[in-house]
Amino acid sequence: MSIKVISVSKNYSNQKALKEVAFSADKGDVIGFLGPNGAGKSTMMKILTGFIKPNSGEVFVNEIDVLKEPLKAQKTIGYLPEHNPLYADMYVREYLQFQALIFKVDKSQIEICIKKVGLEEEAHKKIHQLSKGYQQRVGLAAAILHNPSVLILDEPTTGLDPNQLVEIRELIKELGKEKTVLFSTHIMQEVEAVCNRVIIIKKGEILIDKKLSELKQNNQQTIEVTFDVKVDEPLFKKLPNVITCKNNDGFTWQITFESKEDMRPKIFDFAQENRLKILELNSKNKNLETLFREVTI
Ligand code: ADP
Ligand code: MG
């Protein structure tokens, strides 16, 4: 197991930032750690990387107890903190050499990492001369210098323009091929673009922890249909796989089915059999964005 978090709670004075958080990650996981501002994402990441201690709970990275052996654990973790603190006056290579020294990494790794994050053209410049997107690449290069197997990235795409955003997402995806990645974001589409798993956190509690494919493979579908006359609920019992039906005024109904099959043709047949005319018919299937809004508001 690359990451194992067991019942972690963290309070800042009397404010509860994390409440018995538990999750684990395996090799090959690229996890979107999704939640609104103040949800506890950065706090969880600082605990995972051994920079702050929880009030209770246990944290293991690559089977190493982070609370007992933070330095040993940090050798296997690449961490890009929120706001990516860099030394703006340093040259890119100079900064990476400095980082290599700290991590006792062979200097040969520097050019390898520059190449991995696509910094070749910019590596001769000072950090403050780079765009925000390229500065993020410097942060990523520094995070992977010691070839960690677990990458923890705290809002790596915040503040990037749309092109940079796409590039950094691609880079994270690429890095995810050989590492376990946990990255935080408050953008649902980002999770869809990059991850195979999503953990949704709100007010310090995990609300959803699922494979993206599971979330997408939701077998429920809701169809909104308007008839030309008022319809009574018992009539819908004739339809197969109905879970709920809600009506606004007797004319318009939202019918939720448990079925993989598209139920719209069944509703047409149903209307015909019962001599009803359909005035309008819409599929109201929830996408991930709707789901995220529902669970985080
Ligand atoms: P996120 O990264 O999801 O935006 P954080 O982990 O930064 O959330 O914060 C979670 C909660 O803990 C917030 O309410 C925040 O105000 C509070 N918090 C974070 N760091 C501190 C701190 N050093 N001292 C006091 N409160 C903090
Ligand atoms: Mg944060």
Side-chain angles (χ1 to χ4, degrees), residues 227-228 235 238-239 264-278:
F227 300 102
D228 62 332
L235 201 59
K238 293 184 185 174
L239 276 164
R264 286 175 297 183
K266 290 270 188 303
I267 293 182
F268 275 110
D269 294 345
F270 164 83
Q272 203 170 27
E273 281 161 23
N274 293 283
R275 299 177 184 281
L276 302 167
K277 289 198 177 72
I278 292 176

Side-chain angles (χ1 to χ4, degrees), residues 35-43 45-46 82-83 154-155 184 186:
N37 272 332
K41 303 182 295 295
S42 298
T43 301
M45 291 181 149
K46 285 177 203 162
E82 206 173 14
H83 312 307
D154 198 351
E155 303 218 13
S184 66
H186 48 261

